[in-house]
Amino acid sequence: MPPVPAVAWDVSLYAAASSHSHDMARRHYFDHRSPEGHGVRQRALAHRYPARVMGENIATGDTTVAQAMQSWLASAEHCQNLLDPEFKDVAVACARQPGPELRTYWTMVLGSKR
């Protein structure tokens, strides 16, 4: 895929990513939608991000940012999100599930404002 302009860190998207990662860890699920059916757009709007275009990558099990990024780059669908020129903003968050088996939940939210 061709190179695209750099994206900017967005604190509202970070809040949306962090809340989703922590929710997945706390309630032991792994999905783009919460058990109530809320998706990335609803999470972004709840954190005052006026979304025009949204995308989301999630991962679990990777223990470092580098591992999560490598997993996303190795997946055609996730890589398309990373290199979509429509996205101008980004945030990434990770949460760890407590317990005897450490499990990490990563959420990357990409977007462009209206």
Side-chain angles (χ1 to χ4, degrees):
M1 296 182 74
V4 295
V7 290
W9 186 263
D10 187 274
V11 295
S12 294
L13 292 184
Y14 175 72
S18 180
S19 68
H20 190 52
S21 288
H22 283 89
D23 189 47
M24 288 190 294
R26 184 174 50 81
R27 299 201 288 169
H28 311 288
Y29 71 94
F30 181 68
D31 200 302
H32 289 282
R33 294 202 168 277
S34 71
E36 295 77 27
H38 299 145
V40 64
R41 183 172 298 278
Q42 290 153 312
R43 288 189 292 276
L45 288 171
H47 292 282
R48 296 184 173 87
Y49 186 87
R52 179 179 61 82
V53 178
M54 297 296 310
E56 181 178 69
N57 290 338
I58 58 174
T60 187
D62 298 311
T63 58
T64 67
V65 173
Q67 288 176 343
M69 285 301 299
Q70 187 58 44
S71 295
W72 289 328
L73 288 169
S75 160
E77 187 175 285
H78 293 100
C79 192
Q80 283 180 329
N81 271 347
L82 292 169
L83 296 174
D84 188 329
E86 287 287 319
F87 297 133
K88 307 299 181 206
D89 303 312
V90 67
V92 179
C94 177
R96 289 185 169 84
Q97 176 184 341
E101 291 185 33
L102 178 65
R103 188 156 183 198
T104 55
Y105 294 85
W106 297 86
T107 304
M108 172 188 280
V109 180
L110 301 122
S112 290
K113 296 175 184 168
R114 293 184 184 163

